[in-house]
Amino acid sequence: ANLYFAENPKNVDIENILTDKLIGQGFFECKNYDFVSQKEIETLGFDTKNCLEIQNPLAQGMEFLRPSILMSLLKNIHHNQNFSRDNLRLFESGKTFSLQKGYPIENFTIAGILTGKTPTQKFFLSPQCHYGIFGLKGIIETLLRDYEIKLVPSQKAPVYMHPKICMDIMLDNKVIGILGQVHPLTLKAFDVKNDVWAFEFNLKNLEKHFDAQTFKKAKDVSNLPSSERDLSFIIDKTIPYAEIQKVLNP
């Protein structure tokens, strides 16, 4: 059993639900220290003035509390690649830290990474293929299906993300997170060889849309086979998917 002290129950419930969903999608959960180095913070483009510095660090390289979980996951990738494990789906849920107007702030955050190729499926002849933005986008849409999120191209991507392959996760017209490809220079700094696709978002903004007392009623399984119809359309390549989605889901 897990024990939680002085934590927001809603955050704990949301975290547990999302954790179960990610594990169901083939992710492996990581647990890392919250401590990171100044070099790692600067590599991801964070200003150390806005980060929490520890007065008595346990060791060199643990001088700050992490402002992002992604730097921990990138180190996990590097460690696994040293053992020739190149196909990875990893995630971590935990706290990130920052300074706002001189006061420390804790945020409940969840982040994940994909690198290498998709896993093979038993009994299917589907070939392995490299992860990409569409697969990552599908994972986030499935993960946050119960929330009315929107995925839009980032107007200003973080320094550690690829500026042309990054999307904002929007909820209530606010950016709650990002997803996309990690910048090649960031991967080089962490000595990661393969392309990495990542997401990270704050759980705080999901709270008011979550009610632990609301349960979905189970429905009877139909005894009839499903029937689907595929429709194909030719659309100008300059039209973004967000505009198409707006028409389909007004």
Side-chain angles (χ1 to χ4, degrees), residues 1 11 31 34-35 44 67 71 90 167 180 194-195 214 216 238-239:
N11 275 325
K31 287 297 181 184
D34 293 336
F35 313 121
L44 263 69
M71 58 183 67
L90 306 177
M167 302 186 77
N194 300 326
D195 290 341
T214 300
K216 292 184 177 179
T238 59
I239 299 176

Side-chain angles (χ1 to χ4, degrees), residues 63-80:
E63 300 89 3
F64 287 84
L65 290 174
R66 62 185 181 184
S68 169
I69 294 179
L70 288 179
M71 58 183 67
S72 301
L73 293 177
L74 288 172
K75 289 188 287 186
N76 294 145
I77 294 177
H78 172 69
H79 176 77
N80 277 274

Side-chain angles (χ1 to χ4, degrees), residues 80-99:
N80 277 274
Q81 287 184 348
N82 287 338
F83 292 90
S84 300
R85 302 189 190 104
D86 297 323
N87 304 324
L88 300 170
R89 284 190 180 200
L90 306 177
F91 82 96
E92 182 176 358
S93 59
K95 291 182 179 180
T96 55
F97 306 85
S98 63
L99 282 174

Side-chain angles (χ1 to χ4, degrees), residues 10 146-148 171-172 205-211:
K10 280 193 173 183
D146 297 331
Y147 305 92
E148 296 180 1
L171 181 65
D172 297 332
N205 302 83
L206 304 179
E207 284 184 10
K208 65 180 181 180
H209 297 274
F210 176 78
D211 185 359

Side-chain angles (χ1 to χ4, degrees), residues 18-88:
L18 297 181
T19 294
D20 289 341
K21 286 185 176 182
L22 285 169
I23 292 174
Q25 293 191 61
F27 281 79
F28 288 87
E29 185 173 12
C30 301
K31 287 297 181 184
N32 295 287
Y33 287 117
D34 293 336
F35 313 121
V36 294
S37 68
Q38 179 175 342
K39 181 181 178 182
E40 291 166 347
I41 287 177
E42 293 173 344
T43 297
L44 263 69
F46 290 97
D47 188 347
T48 54
K49 295 180 180 178
N50 298 324
C51 298
L52 282 171
E53 185 173 4
I54 302 172
Q55 293 183 353
N56 55 340
L58 294 175
Q60 186 176 2
M62 294 184 171
E63 300 89 3
F64 287 84
L65 290 174
R66 62 185 181 184
S68 169
I69 294 179
L70 288 179
M71 58 183 67
S72 301
L73 293 177
L74 288 172
K75 289 188 287 186
N76 294 145
I77 294 177
H78 172 69
H79 176 77
N80 277 274
Q81 287 184 348
N82 287 338
F83 292 90
S84 300
R85 302 189 190 104
D86 297 323
N87 304 324
L88 300 170

Side-chain angles (χ1 to χ4, degrees), residues 2 37 76 98 114 133 145 153 160 220 228 240:
N2 293 328
S37 68
N76 294 145
S98 63
L114 303 165
I133 186 66
R145 181 178 293 168
Y160 53 89
D220 292 333
E228 297 180 355

Side-chain angles (χ1 to χ4, degrees), residues 94 99 166 177 199 233:
L99 282 174
C166 184
F199 67 85
F233 300 90

